[in-house]
Amino acid sequence: MATIRLGDKAPDFTADSSMGEINLYDYLGDSWGILFSHPADFTPVCTTELGTTAQFKGEFDKRNVKMLALSVDDAASHKEWIKDINEVNGTTVNFPIIADTDRKVSDLYDMIHPKADDTLTVRSVFIIAPDRTVKLMLTYPASTGRNFYELLRVVDSLQLTANHKVATPANWKNGEDVVVSPSISTKDAVEMFKKGVKEIKPYLRMTPDPTT
C-alpha cells in the first residue's frame, strides 16, 4: 500500500453509502472535496462532527466544496445513526457517509493505524482539489474532535494561493494581508500587487489580499 503524500492524486473508489453507490471522482465533479473518516457509527465525538458538517454546508457550498464522510460500518447503520445526528444537532445530514465494512477505502487512504486500533479508522481529513490532487492531510486522535473553522480557513488559503502568487501567514484569516511568494522579486511584486507591498525583510513581503 503506497503512502499518500501532498500533491499525489487522490485514489478513486466506488463504494456504498448512506445515499447509495458513490464514485469519488463522479461525486466531486469540478468541485473541491473533503473526505473525512470516523472510527465507527454511534460514537459521541463523531455525532457532533457530522452535525457540525451539516450546519456548515452553506459555507462549504460558497467555496465549491463537497463533503464526504466515511465510517467502517454499513449503510443501514449509517442511516440509523443519521437519525441521531439530526436529532442531537438540530440539523439534516446533507452529504453521503461511505460504508466501508471491507476497509477497502480505509486501506486505500491509510486511515487505519494499528497502534491506535487495528479495526477502526482514525480521524483523517483529506482536502482534494478539482484536479484530484491531495492538498491537505490531517490526522486527529479518536478523542479529539475536528475544528471545522480551521477546515474553512485552510480551504480559503488553498483557493487563494492556487490563483495568486502568495502564501498565507500564521493564523491568517480570509481577507487579511498575505505573504508575497519568495520566488518574486520585490521590484516585480510592486508591479504585480497594485494595493502595495510592505517589505519586512527582503524575504518577507506582505500585501493586501488580492481578491478583496
Side-chain angles (χ1 to χ4, degrees):
M1 178 177 60
T3 300
I4 298 174
R5 300 188 186 280
L6 292 181
D8 286 351
K9 284 280 186 181
D12 194 16
F13 61 82
T14 299
D16 194 15
S17 83
S18 58
M19 294 183 172
E21 187 174 87
I22 293 282
N23 172 264
L24 176 65
Y25 284 8
D26 289 345
Y27 174 70
L28 294 181
D30 60 359
S31 299
W32 289 72
I34 297 182
L35 171 65
F36 59 119
S37 59
H38 300 268
D41 291 0
F42 301 100
T43 48
V45 176
C46 297
T47 299
T48 67
E49 289 184 324
L50 292 172
T52 300
T53 304
Q55 292 166 350
F56 274 51
K57 186 177 188 300
E59 292 299 322
F60 287 119
D61 284 350
K62 284 194 293 188
R63 294 162 173 82
N64 190 31
V65 176
K66 290 184 177 178
M67 306 298 290
L68 184 61
L70 175 145
S71 170
V72 295
D73 294 307
D74 62 28
S77 175
H78 291 351
K79 290 174 184 177
E80 288 303 309
W81 184 28
I82 285 170
K83 295 176 185 177
D84 282 0
I85 296 166
N86 290 340
E87 178 187 347
V88 168
N89 297 279
T91 189
T92 300
V93 171
N94 37 35
F95 52 88
I97 306 175
I98 293 295
D100 196 34
T101 55
D102 59 3
R103 314 298 194 268
K104 174 185 169 185
V105 180
S106 301
D107 286 339
L108 197 60
Y109 280 81
D110 194 21
M111 291 173 171
I112 293 178
H113 292 191
K115 289 184 180 179
D117 190 304
D118 60 6
T119 60
L120 302 180
T121 52
V122 289
R123 295 186 199 285
S124 298
V125 181
F126 296 86
I127 296 184
I128 303 168
D131 66 359
R132 310 291 188 247
T133 57
V134 175
K135 296 300 186 183
L136 173 134
M137 298 182 294
L138 290 170
T139 300
Y140 292 77
S143 57
T144 303
R146 282 164 277 219
N147 185 326
F148 286 81
Y149 291 103
E150 171 63 3
L151 293 182
L152 289 175
R153 190 188 78 89
V154 170
V155 168
D156 286 338
S157 174
L158 289 169
Q159 293 182 345
L160 174 64
T161 59
N163 296 306
H164 299 275
K165 293 183 177 181
V166 296
T168 55
N171 295 333
W172 174 86
K173 294 179 182 177
N174 197 16
E176 295 180 347
D177 288 358
V178 294
V179 175
V180 175
S181 172
S183 65
I184 302 171
S185 70
T186 298
K187 179 182 177 182
D188 289 343
V190 170
E191 290 294 318
M192 184 178 298
F193 300 105
K194 302 301 184 183
K195 296 179 182 179
V197 174
K198 179 181 179 182
E199 184 177 281
I200 298 170
K201 293 287 184 181
Y203 58 85
L204 175 57
R205 291 81 43 85
M206 305 294 293
T207 188
D209 183 335
T211 65
T212 59

